[in-house]
Amino acid sequence: MAKVLYQYFKKEIDMHKVYVRIDPTTMEGLEILVAETGQIVQNKRQFDNTIYEDLEFDEFVEASSLEFNLYLSGIAK
């Protein structure tokens, strides 16, 4: 089985953080919403070919896998 090399993006909106992980081969993704209180909400997503343009338009920037996974695991709040 081939390993997936995810792509990660982030943005801050009104004191909240939004992280997006994309599998570029299947366009499946995971979105993490981190509230100012530390509450984390996860949403599975299925993206289409325009996701990269959408992220650029919405001013997302590249994020690190470490940063994403710290929030995903609940270590960072």
Side-chain angles (χ1 to χ4, degrees), residues 20-55:
V20 177
R21 179 180 75 189
I22 301 172
D23 178 340
T25 58
T26 65
M27 300 308 284
E28 293 176 340
L30 182 63
E31 176 184 71
I32 298 175
L33 307 171
V34 182
E36 185 179 89
T37 61
Q39 180 183 9
I40 298 172
V41 177
Q42 298 178 35
N43 299 304
K44 290 184 180 180
R45 301 280 188 213
Q46 181 63 50
F47 298 114
D48 62 19
N49 301 13
T50 64
I51 185 58
Y52 298 108
E53 290 85 12
D54 295 342
L55 290 170

Side-chain angles (χ1 to χ4, degrees), residues 62-77:
E62 289 188 34
S64 73
S65 59
L66 177 61
E67 184 177 11
F68 181 92
N69 285 298
L70 285 173
Y71 283 106
L72 181 63
S73 67
I75 294 172
K77 296 204 183 226

